[in-house]
Amino acid sequence: MSTIGTLDADGGEGVSLHQRILSDISERILSGAWAPGHRIPFEHELTAQYNCSRMTVNKALSQLAKAGLIERRRRSGSFVRRPQSQAAVLEIHDIRIEVEALGLPYRYERVARQKRRSSAEDRALLELGPAGPVLALECRHFAGNRPFAHEQRLINLTAVAEAADEAFLGTAPGPWLIGRVPWSAAEHRIRAVAADKHIAAALDIEAGAPCLVVERRTWSAEHPVTHVRFTYAAESHTLVARFTPSRT
């Protein structure tokens, strides 16, 4: 039986006890102590643990389910859900904001960095003409203790020369670029893929698992700045587009 921590009965089942149950369970989910798929103690177990009525426990679990933290399955119990991020398709945003919106701690990791002369593939991705210097980066973004997104990025060093001296160890390249280079145009491409071995290892998922890929290219004053490919586990990410009818 999973335990949460003993709480002495205080002679009542008021808001404080209900909030204590909510707080205890939420803390274990958001801290990563209870990973996605972990079974929450059954209602009768929580009732005994907190010395309260089943109605109080049911109310707390219902609120957690409504918040998207747990999934309640008839006859099977309640289980921790994998947090699902929502990102606006047409926005250029910081992944840190996506993660923190889930109530999870954010962490960034630079996996690889290479300064090189652009290849034919690099020039096609950036829409460059003649060969020139580029910076290739591979990064991971974490939500709690779980990988959240895998990033592969090319930066056109002709347009952003100062990036050649930036290590990108403590700062992700996305917010770094936004803070230094005003972009004038952007293009998004969205597609579904099956995770290859490299992506599966980076995101800690099974090879062949469905993934969502968001590719973005930006320009500043007609000069290509960067091409980036973000890969997310499909089950944990949703893209949202909001628009109004065009007027004719």
Side-chain angles (χ1 to χ4, degrees), residues 1-4 39 41-42 44-46 48-49:
M1 167 180 168
S2 299
T3 60
I4 296 179
R39 182 180 68 76
F42 287 115
H44 71 271
E45 295 174 330
L46 291 171
Q49 182 76 27

Side-chain angles (χ1 to χ4, degrees), residues 11-223:
E13 297 175 10
V15 174
S16 61
L17 183 52
H18 166 248
Q19 289 297 330
R20 175 65 181 272
I21 298 171
L22 279 175
S23 176
D24 284 352
I25 295 178
S26 297
E27 180 183 352
R28 280 154 180 77
I29 294 173
L30 297 179
S31 69
W34 286 356
H38 177 89
R39 182 180 68 76
I40 305 296
F42 287 115
E43 285 190 17
H44 71 271
E45 295 174 330
L46 291 171
T47 297
Q49 182 76 27
Y50 285 91
N51 191 20
C52 65
S53 74
R54 195 155 182 169
M55 182 181 297
T56 299
V57 170
N58 185 274
K59 180 181 177 183
L61 295 180
S62 295
Q63 191 168 337
L64 289 164
K66 186 176 181 180
L69 291 177
I70 68 172
E71 177 185 1
R72 307 189 75 182
R73 303 174 190 168
R74 190 175 181 182
R75 296 197 178 103
S76 298
S78 299
F79 298 83
V80 177
R81 290 188 62 185
R82 182 180 296 277
Q84 187 170 83
S85 166
Q86 292 189 351
V89 178
L90 301 180
E91 292 182 1
I92 293 180
H93 51 81
D94 188 347
I95 288 182
R96 175 191 292 272
I97 296 173
E98 287 184 58
V99 171
E100 291 179 346
L102 296 170
L104 295 171
Y106 169 80
R107 181 168 65 87
Y108 158 79
E109 171 187 86
R110 192 202 76 185
V111 177
R113 179 186 184 277
Q114 181 187 33
K115 181 182 173 181
R116 66 188 184 220
R117 188 169 181 81
S118 59
S119 65
E121 182 181 0
D122 295 337
R123 293 192 293 276
L125 290 174
L126 285 166
E127 288 193 348
L128 290 174
V134 296
L135 184 66
L137 296 161
E138 181 181 356
C139 316
R140 291 203 299 172
H141 303 264
F142 291 79
N145 60 0
R146 294 279 307 172
F148 179 78
H150 178 257
E151 175 179 349
Q152 295 167 291
R153 184 181 292 268
L154 285 172
I155 299 176
N156 176 15
L157 293 179
T158 301
V160 196
E162 59 267 40
D165 299 319
E166 178 62 42
F168 295 106
L169 286 172
T171 303
W176 186 93
L177 284 167
I178 290 172
R180 287 164 176 77
V181 185
W183 61 277
S184 56
E187 173 189 87
H188 285 86
R189 293 178 181 271
I190 304 159
R191 57 194 172 94
V193 302
D196 59 22
K197 290 183 179 179
H198 182 73
I199 294 297
L203 292 178
D204 192 19
I205 57 178
E206 294 292 330
C211 292
L212 187 65
V213 173
V214 179
E215 292 188 76
R216 182 169 67 235
R217 193 159 37 198
T218 59
W219 293 262
S220 179
E222 306 303 318
H223 298 293

